[in-house]
Amino acid sequence: MRVIDLTTTHEWSYMLCLQTWSKEMAEAASHKARWFEQMRGRGLVVKLAVDDDDEPVGMIQTLPIEESWIDGEGLDVVLCTRVIGHEHGVANHRSHGIGTALLDAVEQDSRARGRLGMCAHGSALPMAMKARWYRDRGYSSVQRDGFELLNLYDAELTADAIQAVRAA
C-alpha cells in the first residue's frame, strides 16, 4: 500500500467515495465533481491509499479551515477519511494502518505549508468517522456540539491552533 495525491486516473473512484459498486454514489457523483472543481483551487487536498494493483482502498480530503463551514484560521480541516471495508465483495482494508497513513500524509503536507494545526470532526454516528479514532491518534477535543471537533499538532502549536478555533 502506498499513499498518493489524487490523479486523473483515480478521479472517478474519488467522485464515488471509492464506492464504485454503488448506484446511489454514481447518481451523486456529478454533484461531487462540481464541488471538486470549485474547491480544488481553494486548497483542497485529496490523498488516496492504493494497493499493489494501484486500486484505491482509502482516501482522505482536507481543506483550509477558512474555506470550510468551521470558524477558524490557520488550520486545515479533515473533511473525510474513508477506508474500504467488507462491501460488495471488496476485501476489508480496515485495521491495517491505512487510515493512519493517510492522516500522517495530510498532516505532513499541512506542516509543510506552514499551517498552525489540523482539525477534524468526529461523531458517534455510524456514517461518520469516529471521534475516538482521531483521539487515538493524538487529537484532543476542542468543541463538542453534536459532532466533536478535534485538533492536533506539535505541543507548542496546539495552544495556538485550539485558540484559533475557539476565537472564531
Side-chain angles (χ1 to χ4, degrees):
M1 187 277 308
R2 60 193 171 91
V3 175
I4 63 170
D5 291 319
L6 180 65
T7 64
T8 54
T9 303
H10 297 105
E11 271 187 18
W12 182 245
S13 291
Y14 165 72
M15 298 307 165
L16 299 174
C17 296
L18 308 185
Q19 297 178 46
T20 55
W21 59 87
S22 171
K23 291 180 183 178
E24 292 84 9
M25 290 307 294
E27 291 172 4
S30 64
H31 297 288
K32 185 165 183 179
R34 283 193 299 276
W35 176 85
F36 175 71
E37 287 304 318
Q38 291 173 351
M39 302 313 284
R40 72 188 321 172
R42 295 166 65 182
L44 177 68
V45 172
V46 179
K47 299 226 178 250
L48 300 175
V50 295
D51 65 14
D52 293 339
D53 296 322
D54 202 41
E55 292 297 320
V57 295
M59 62 177 263
I60 193 167
Q61 56 187 15
T62 66
L63 194 63
I65 200 167
E66 298 86 352
E67 299 292 339
S68 78
W69 69 97
I70 303 169
D71 291 332
E73 58 184 59
L75 308 173
D76 283 339
V77 60
V78 176
L79 302 175
C80 175
T81 305
R82 175 169 173 65
V83 176
I84 294 177
H86 288 294
E87 298 160 306
H88 293 271
V90 177
N92 185 6
H93 295 279
R94 293 183 181 152
S95 299
H96 296 287
I98 294 170
T100 301
L102 288 162
L103 189 61
D104 289 348
V106 294
E107 288 172 357
Q108 183 177 3
D109 281 3
S110 183
R111 282 186 182 96
R113 290 191 325 276
R115 303 298 281 173
L116 288 175
M118 177 79 68
C119 66
H121 60 91
S123 174
L125 300 173
M127 71 287 232
M129 195 62 173
K130 305 286 188 250
R132 188 177 115 218
W133 186 84
Y134 291 105
R135 283 194 306 271
D136 288 349
R137 282 147 189 84
Y139 282 61
S140 59
S141 182
V142 294
Q143 277 182 4
R144 286 188 185 177
D145 189 17
F147 281 94
E148 190 170 339
L149 183 63
L150 303 107
N151 123 307
L152 172 74
Y153 255 27
D154 300 323
E156 66 271 12
L157 294 178
T158 301
D160 291 339
I162 291 170
Q163 185 58 38
V165 171
R166 289 190 175 151

